[in-house]
Amino acid sequence: MYEGPVQDLIDELGRLPGIGPKSAQRIAFHLLAADPADIGRLQDALQRVREGVVFCEVCGNVAEQSICRICADPRRDPKLVCVVEEPKDVLAIERTREYRGRYHVLGGALDPLSGVGPDQLRIRELLNRIGTDEITEIILATDPNTEGEATATYLVRLLRDFPGLAVTRLASGLPMGGDLEFADELTLGRALTGRRAV
Amino acid sequence: MSLYRDTGVVLRVQKLGEADRIITLLTRRHGKVRAVAKGVRRTTSRFGARLEPFGHVDVQFYTGRTLDIITQVQTVDAFGVGLVDDYPRYTAACAVLETADRLVPEEGEPALRLYLLLAGALRALSGGERDAGLVLDAFLLRAMAYAGWAPAVTECARCGAPGPHRAFSVPAGGSVCPRCRPAGAASPATETLRLMDALVHGDWAVAEASGDRARRECSGLVAAHLQWHMERQLRSLPLVDRQGRVEEQTT
């Protein structure tokens, strides 16, 4: 145990996801030896995150103002909405530079084992958007795991009755750069089901 | 012992570090096991989707200092495939997993009967031939019998007088005769207790012929009985979709 503020800093850093006691100690001593200007910038960034970040009123993504940059951009296709679980999934899809539509962030996936049901997600907000905006296609981009698939199934059943609305799901199958012999039965089965003519 | 192998059902997964997960399994010979699956969250992981909840898998473990490490996995039954396509079945199966997890508090304590019961319940839910609510209640009743809390259905829970009796008291331990009936005991329909008895003994002809009211009453009593004995709320049980909630939201 270290004395006073150093131990407090290690304890606080250790509460962050993915940081164990050893990593917390290493970061704490790095900060102790760091330039005061660097510490100041870190303090400012933390302060701005706490005070300045809000959730977009339209899509639920993290934003600086009440409407996020993507929802406010007139060049984005308002007819296409990609439904994702978390704000970090928006960034993952943006990195592809393939998608020009807008997003809807659910805030998680249906996970009864963690007590997350439909009322804990932004599903009602999605239904309201479809009812009022000029949306013609919903792309379900929830994670390809048990919770994400169950969420997609639930949404498909909710959305299939909207007239003129296409509901699509991200393709799933073999990852690029992998070996076929190591693919598990579920993934290979999905890849076979979703095969396409070339 | 450095390596051992067992078959088990994945009960729960928790994120660990950047790309790992802690997988909780109920195994045939080693009871509940918590083990680390390294790199399982990467798209190129050799485990792929085998270690998702509901997976019935054949696993090789390496004995670690605190947690064991999963080194190889093969799928025995992919129950999850049939479950995620049907929300009521998915929520019922989640309640099955959580109950099994809670009923085995100690890791490494063999629980063969519960393991067989769990695999059977997931197979029935995944197959889709039987009503998900009935399968869930049958599992909960039999799991409570495994834990030693089976509700008395055909006799008085207090004096043992043969029934059927009209009153049901969760604190008393099941149906109670008029002499033993405590204040606040419920008065379920005769059909409800008949359904409960059928679910305990696997009489599916009687169970499937039961009406909606009996099923509702039965699931309420089973849930109350389970939570009374567990002394805590199951998170997944209130989220079980017994009445087609999806249709309700759209109307």
Side-chain angles (χ1 to χ4, degrees), chain A residues 110-119 123-124 145-147 149-150 153-154 157-158 160 175 182-186, chain B residues 11 43 46 48-50 52-54 75 78 81 84-85 87-88 90 94 98 235-236 239 245-247 249-250:
Chain A
L110 292 174
D111 184 9
L113 289 171
S114 305
V116 180
D119 295 338
I123 292 176
R124 201 161 288 281
N145 54 25
T146 307
E147 295 82 16
E149 289 293 332
T153 306
Y154 184 85
R157 286 177 58 190
L158 277 180
R160 67 185 169 197
F182 290 113
D184 66 281
E185 303 77 14
L186 298 180
Chain B
L11 299 178
T43 51
R46 67 187 190 285
R50 294 183 185 109
E52 287 287 310
F54 313 116
T75 301
V81 176
V84 293
D85 292 339
Y87 189 66
Y90 169 68
C94 284
E98 190 179 2
R235 280 192 285 196
S236 54
L239 296 170
R245 196 197 145 96
V246 169
E247 278 73 17
Q249 279 212 352
T250 48

Side-chain angles (χ1 to χ4, degrees), chain A residues 37-152:
Chain A
D38 292 343
I39 302 286
R41 276 202 307 279
L42 180 62
Q43 272 180 329
D44 283 351
L46 288 172
Q47 193 76 17
R48 282 205 308 277
V49 154
R50 191 172 159 69
E51 290 169 0
V53 172
V54 291
F55 291 94
C56 173
E57 286 172 8
V58 180
C59 70
N61 194 7
V62 287
E64 273 187 280
Q65 288 159 3
S66 59
I67 306 287
C68 74
R69 194 169 38 82
I70 295 174
C71 289
D73 186 346
R75 291 168 300 174
R76 307 291 294 222
D77 187 352
K79 292 179 182 162
L80 263 180
V81 170
C82 180
V83 178
V84 294
E85 291 180 16
E86 305 283 351
K88 60 182 191 290
D89 300 328
V90 172
L91 200 68
I93 293 180
E94 284 296 287
R95 276 201 301 264
T96 65
R97 297 174 184 268
E98 294 276 336
Y99 180 66
R100 300 301 306 158
R102 291 180 178 167
Y103 293 92
H104 188 87
V105 181
L106 291 173
L110 292 174
D111 184 9
L113 289 171
S114 305
V116 180
D119 295 338
Q120 280 74 46
L121 303 179
R122 298 183 71 255
I123 292 176
R124 201 161 288 281
E125 287 84 344
L126 176 65
L127 299 182
N128 290 341
R129 274 183 84 178
I130 296 167
T132 52
D133 294 356
E134 41 179 338
I135 298 166
T136 57
E137 183 179 350
I138 296 283
I139 302 167
L140 299 174
T142 50
D143 288 344
N145 54 25
T146 307
E147 295 82 16
E149 289 293 332
T151 310

Side-chain angles (χ1 to χ4, degrees), chain B residues 131-150:
Chain B
D131 177 77
L134 289 179
V135 175
L136 172 62
D137 289 339
F139 171 81
L140 296 179
L141 284 164
R142 293 180 206 180
M144 282 192 277
Y146 158 81
W149 312 324

Side-chain angles (χ1 to χ4, degrees), chain B residues 72-93:
Chain B
Q72 284 180 37
V73 189
Q74 276 189 319
T75 301
V76 178
D77 297 292
F79 295 135
V81 176
L83 293 170
V84 293
D85 292 339
D86 187 319
Y87 189 66
R89 288 184 189 283
Y90 169 68
T91 52

